[in-house]
Amino acid sequence: MTTTAQPTRKAADARMPGTWGLGVHQGALELRQFFRQRDQVVFTFAFPIVFLFLFASIFSDDVEGAGITASQLYVPAMIAAGIMSTSFQSLGISIAIERDEKVLRRLRGTPMPPSVYFLGKIWLVLVTGVLETIALVTVGTVFYDVGLPGDAASWLTFAWVFVLGLTGCALLGIAISSVPKSARSASSVVVLPFLVLQFISGVYIAIDTLPEWMLNIGALFPLKWMCQGLRGVFLPESASVLEVAGSWEYGRIALVLGAWCIGGLLLCLGTFRWKSRSDG
């Protein structure tokens, strides 16, 4: 009797998906839930595109000595903001809401490994980040004559800036999700610092016109370096004169974004909570 039960249990365990398989299923669930909320989908994808149209239409003159127009300067900056929107802002708000609504507490009480929940979020951020980037690149190339990278090295630069930037911002979003005291305050707590960062990181205002103290604060966070890296990918070399150092500084960009990935992970491990503060 025992001999029969043991192979049965082994066969059942063999049929159960592993952590990665469960993570894919969780990611598919996250994506279905996201795309079912049409207002959230429209806001997430339309917000950077609308702002790109607004700023690129208002400021469209040639940038002296850079060989580009102001409209073209906004394209890589808004791509970087779009990446941060689908990672930092999306996770910061959604996880805070799920914690307040006891979703995280119920998940923690199931046999599902905690890593599966985060793998699902990774798939959500990756897919929405790629779609947002494709949409903004399309708008930039069609309406503002921004050229696509012309060689493999530039595409490789685009890839690592995207991956490191998305990862660092996602981890920062998970960390800040523990700050709001309730679901109602989540949007205010997350959106305000994101909005400030966009102004001091060269998204809405050209980096060469910002006061030095703002530049120093912006340089502490990943958005400024994502903007700079993507400008190097999509703009001609002549536009590097607009940077503070007069060059794209790819080495420093990789160093800062990589540091945010490591530091963000440590920050998440130290701050993430499955229960809201009211639950103890």
Side-chain angles (χ1 to χ4, degrees), residues 16 34 46 68 76 146 150 202 204 219 223 246 257:
M16 291 183 63
F34 173 78
I68 59 171
V146 172
Y204 299 140
L223 183 57
L257 294 182

Side-chain angles (χ1 to χ4, degrees), residues 18 42 44 64-65 70 73-74 83 90 102 108 140 169 174 207 216 221 231-232 253 270:
V42 171
T44 299
E64 185 177 355
L73 189 61
Y74 278 109
I83 294 172
S90 175
K102 308 295 190 296
R108 195 68 180 95
C169 290
I174 294 173
I207 202 78
N216 293 334
F221 297 92
R231 283 194 292 268
I253 293 170

Side-chain angles (χ1 to χ4, degrees), residues 9 46-47 60 84 89 92 102 106 111 129 143 151 154 187 208 274:
R9 285 197 299 270
F47 187 84
S60 57
M84 193 167 185
Q89 181 173 290
K102 308 295 190 296
R106 291 194 295 270
F143 293 97
D151 52 68
S154 296
S187 295
D208 60 337
W274 293 92

Side-chain angles (χ1 to χ4, degrees), residues 26 136-137 158 160 164 173 183:
Q26 182 68 19
L136 287 165
V137 169
F158 171 75
W160 65 255
L164 291 179

Side-chain angles (χ1 to χ4, degrees), residues 14-36:
R15 289 194 299 268
M16 291 183 63
T19 301
W20 286 105
L22 290 172
V24 172
H25 287 293
Q26 182 68 19
L29 177 62
E30 293 277 358
L31 287 167
R32 282 198 297 269
Q33 291 176 338
F34 173 78
F35 284 105
R36 283 174 181 170

